[in-house]
Amino acid sequence: MELEQDSSLTLPLFLFDETLNERDLSTPDLSLSVLLDDDLLIQLCQNPAPDSSIAITISDYMVEAHNPAFADVTREAHHAQLTLTHGPLLSAVLDAKSEQTFVSPQMDMMPTFDLGDEDE
């Protein structure tokens, strides 16, 4: 996964329960989208040490329901965070007021930067 400034990052979310390992990754329950502004991108440009992680709380994001059974989650209170682990690997967690937790699979990511070299 490549991260670029001012682009949107969208991650699939799945209900965290005993069936999580059996789920089809192409049919998420929800998706989480966040704009990669300067501040968030700076936080994502870290690579934690092995056996550690970095939690990044996000406040400006959108949640979309792909499974009608979870449409209410998009309308109730919830909070989300991104988690970086060594690699760097990126994942997301969304905790809903209904006490349901949704997680994304860990994804390899590499920030990219426009250095303006294309004009030369």
Side-chain angles (χ1 to χ4, degrees):
M1 169 190 310
E2 293 185 358
L3 304 180
E4 296 183 30
Q5 184 176 351
D6 297 325
S7 65
S8 179
L9 170 66
T10 302
L11 297 170
L13 296 173
F14 300 88
L15 180 63
F16 185 66
D17 65 6
E18 64 279 349
T19 66
L20 184 62
N21 289 336
E22 302 161 7
R23 298 290 308 272
D24 179 0
L25 293 180
S26 66
T27 57
D29 296 318
L30 306 170
S31 62
L32 173 83
S33 297
V34 61
L35 180 66
L36 295 172
D37 61 15
D38 289 341
D39 294 334
L40 182 55
L41 199 54
I42 288 169
Q43 293 181 63
L44 292 174
C45 289
Q46 302 177 71
N47 190 7
D51 300 323
S52 69
S53 64
I54 298 170
I56 303 167
T57 301
I58 53 176
S59 57
D60 190 17
Y61 60 89
M62 292 178 41
V63 176
E64 181 181 351
H66 298 282
N67 182 335
F70 299 110
D72 289 345
V73 172
T74 64
R75 295 184 290 275
E76 67 185 37
H78 45 70
H79 64 276
Q81 76 176 29
L82 300 176
T83 303
L84 282 173
T85 55
H86 185 71
L89 299 172
L90 177 67
S91 61
V93 176
L94 182 115
D95 289 312
K97 182 181 178 184
S98 59
E99 297 185 12
Q100 293 174 309
T101 299
F102 297 84
V103 296
S104 74
Q106 287 188 326
M107 300 184 181
D108 288 320
M109 52 142 266
M110 183 57 63
T112 60
F113 302 95
D114 181 3
L115 301 176
D117 294 338
E118 294 177 14
D119 295 337
E120 296 176 14

